[in-house]
Amino acid sequence: MIGMLKNSCEVILKELKHWMTPEKVKTSIRTFPSSAEIVPEPLGVVLVISAWNYPLLLSLDPVVGAIAAGNAVVLKPSEIAPATSSLLAKLIEKYMDPSFVRVVEGEVDETTALLQQKWDKIFYTVIAGLLGNGRVGRIMMTAAAKHLTPVVLELGGKSPVVVDSNINLKVATRRIIYGKWGLNNGQACISPDYVNALKTELEECYGKNPMESEDLSRIVSSNHFARLSRFLNDDKVSGKIVYGGEKDEKKLRIAPTILLDVPRDSLIMGEEIFGPLLPIITVNKLEESLDLIISGEKPLAAYVFTTDKKFKEQFVKNVSSGGLLVNDTTLHLVVDTLPFGGVGESGMGAYHGKFSFDAFTHKKAVLYRSFAGDSSLRYPPYTDTKKRLMKAVVGGRILGIIRALLGQS
């Protein structure tokens, strides 16, 4: 994660001068003679509320983009990762100018107080919780609406994986394991949430007793442990566990767990899991998986493993998601030339690379004209000749203007 943050800084330092340069655009005969450009300007003072699962990256990555765009920033780190929150407060105060970057620590009361202020933009990353991502996002948008504050919302959601049968299943399985359990033990917003095909590879990665593995992250808090336990204790899925299921509340550890053919109306299928539990749904035809995905909310990420060119194209065309990967998981996150963000219930707005700069920038339209070339055509009184010419000019066609000057309709 530190490497990704470092890369973000390096990309911005390399490209910022280019991004800041006003973009020259064409004008038309309607405003002749004239020139025009789009000038990027900072929005002003922005609020960044970050998440706990990657507390350093998800705090500083948007802050870097906001600063690059010329804004002043207030950062509210997640209280669920208190050590990182405290470290950020100390380091930012020590190394950065407090007149343009400040950290506010705290919990719900402090966040509520911040949302009552007027900001020029709010960037909010919401991670799975007891209230649900959508509900928290709506609370934030209600607060922002009081001041007509624009927002970037990173909400997450259920990220489906479709696995074709005619593929290199060993490679596909390992890539799914990396995306699901390798990334923070499933506590990642782009972690695969259900998949159509897995077991020996898990033992290869985490051993026969994954609860003792040093490579498996613990659950972030007792509240989130209880939330995941509630999924496993649901009567509709308690008999569906085909691998794992072990829990240790004292150590906040849950083993990688696979559940087979869980009901669509179960608790685990109704919320973002954000943990090491992986429901598998089997289908008879690949096309059925598309219907399954499309019938739900639009995900933050969607994954497909296939060598079938036709189905790959069909998947990309029909599945609406924040991001989409073919034959791998999560790696789109590290490509700084791609936007990262959600759509629909999984969020709005995007960042990373230039998209971070754009997220905190207003594109100002500027048209330049001189005092020369002033025509009486646009001023009253409006004669028939003027009307014909005006209509031709608005149409923007040279031939039409010539015909109007010759008195032709």
Side-chain angles (χ1 to χ4, degrees):
M1 295 300 118
I2 292 176
M4 288 178 62
L5 180 60
K6 181 182 177 183
N7 182 69
S8 291
C9 295
E10 291 173 344
V11 168
I12 285 174
L13 288 172
K14 180 181 178 182
E15 302 291 345
L16 185 57
K17 186 175 181 181
H18 172 64
W19 296 344
M20 292 170 61
T21 304
E23 178 188 353
K24 299 292 184 182
V25 294
K26 292 181 179 180
T27 58
S28 72
I29 195 170
R30 301 178 186 90
T31 58
F32 179 84
S34 66
S35 63
E37 62 184 7
I38 300 170
V39 179
E41 64 178 12
L43 293 171
V45 183
V46 302
L47 173 65
V48 174
I49 303 177
S50 65
W52 52 261
N53 59 328
Y54 298 104
L56 193 68
L57 177 68
L58 297 183
S59 293
L60 294 183
D61 204 2
V63 167
V64 165
I67 293 172
N71 300 278
V73 188
V74 172
L75 169 64
K76 166 61 180 68
S78 174
E79 68 278 10
I80 300 177
T84 304
S85 177
S86 176
L87 180 66
L88 284 168
K90 290 176 184 176
L91 294 181
I92 288 178
E93 183 180 21
K94 182 177 180 179
Y95 291 107
M96 304 194 77
D97 186 341
S99 66
F100 70 89
V101 185
R102 289 194 181 184
V103 176
V104 174
E105 291 191 275
E107 301 188 21
V108 175
D109 289 345
E110 287 76 13
T111 302
T112 301
L114 286 170
L115 288 174
Q116 289 172 350
Q117 311 307 309
K118 187 180 188 307
W119 304 95
D120 294 295
K121 192 153 197 177
I122 297 174
F123 187 106
Y124 200 171
T125 302
V126 186
I127 295 304
L130 300 178
L131 289 177
N133 295 13
R135 184 177 171 189
V136 175
R138 286 173 175 83
I139 291 171
M140 196 287 304
M141 287 196 70
T142 299
K146 293 177 182 177
H147 301 290
L148 294 180
T149 303
V151 299
V152 173
L153 273 183
E154 298 293 339
L155 297 180
K158 304 190 75 61
S159 296
V161 184
V162 173
V163 180
D164 197 350
S165 56
N166 300 316
I167 60 168
N168 187 325
L169 198 57
K170 181 181 177 68
V171 172
T173 301
R174 294 180 71 84
R175 290 177 178 179
I176 292 167
I177 289 172
Y178 168 80
K180 178 64 177 179
W181 293 283
L183 288 182
N184 221 0
N185 203 9
Q187 298 170 100
C189 55
I190 53 173
S191 159
D193 233 20
Y194 55 88
V195 63
N196 302 342
L198 233 184
K199 263 177 188 176
T200 56
E201 295 298 329
L202 276 169
E203 287 192 5
E204 287 284 329
C205 292
Y206 300 111
K208 291 186 179 296
N209 187 5
M211 293 289 279
E212 302 300 323
S213 173
E214 295 182 356
D215 296 314
L216 204 65
S217 304
R218 71 181 183 89
I219 305 305
V220 70
S221 70
S222 57
N223 283 342
H224 283 275
F225 184 94
R227 184 180 61 83
L228 293 167
S229 296
R230 181 165 55 89
F231 291 156
L232 285 178
N233 296 335
D234 180 7
D235 290 340
K236 294 179 179 178
V237 303
S238 57
K240 302 291 186 178
I241 298 173
V242 294
Y243 182 87
E246 298 85 6
K247 299 178 292 182
D248 187 332
E249 187 173 3
K250 212 170 190 180
K251 295 181 179 179
L252 293 179
R253 293 177 74 84
I254 298 178
T257 301
I258 301 172
L259 304 99
L260 183 61
D261 286 328
V262 298
R264 291 295 309 278
D265 60 348
S266 58
L267 292 175
I268 200 169
M269 292 305 294
E271 298 179 27
E272 181 177 14
I273 297 170
F274 227 79
L277 319 178
L278 184 65
I280 296 175
I281 298 176
T282 55
V283 293
N284 295 319
K285 295 181 180 179
L286 276 176
E287 288 72 22
E288 291 179 31
S289 64
L290 285 177
D291 296 334
L292 197 63
I293 296 169
I294 294 169
S295 66
E297 300 292 354
K298 296 178 180 180
L300 181 60
Y303 309 108
V304 59
F305 287 82
T306 184
T307 56
D308 185 323
K309 183 179 178 182
K310 183 179 178 181
F311 181 72
K312 176 181 66 176
E313 292 173 351
Q314 192 178 2
F315 193 90
V316 172
K317 180 180 179 180
N318 290 287
V319 174
S320 178
S321 59
L324 192 150
L325 260 74
V326 178
N327 294 333
D328 213 322
T329 64
T330 70
L331 288 185
H332 62 303
L333 183 67
V334 303
V335 182
D336 58 68
T337 51
L338 288 174
F340 180 79
V343 58
E345 286 284 319
S346 62
M348 62 184 70
Y351 70 121
H352 285 183
K354 186 174 186 296
F355 301 98
S356 292
F357 177 82
D358 291 341
F360 295 102
T361 301
H362 167 60
K363 304 293 187 182
K364 182 166 60 180
V366 181
L367 181 69
Y368 297 96
R369 299 200 73 221
S370 71
F371 287 99
D374 193 54
S375 170
S376 63
L377 182 65
R378 57 192 288 204
Y379 308 117
Y382 296 116
T383 63
D384 289 343
T385 300
K386 282 187 176 182
K387 289 178 183 177
R388 285 198 304 271
L389 277 170
M390 284 286 283
K391 190 180 292 187
V393 168
V394 169
R397 293 183 292 274
I398 296 293
L399 182 59
I401 295 172
I402 293 172
R403 293 180 63 186
L405 288 169
L406 295 174
Q408 299 174 5
S409 58

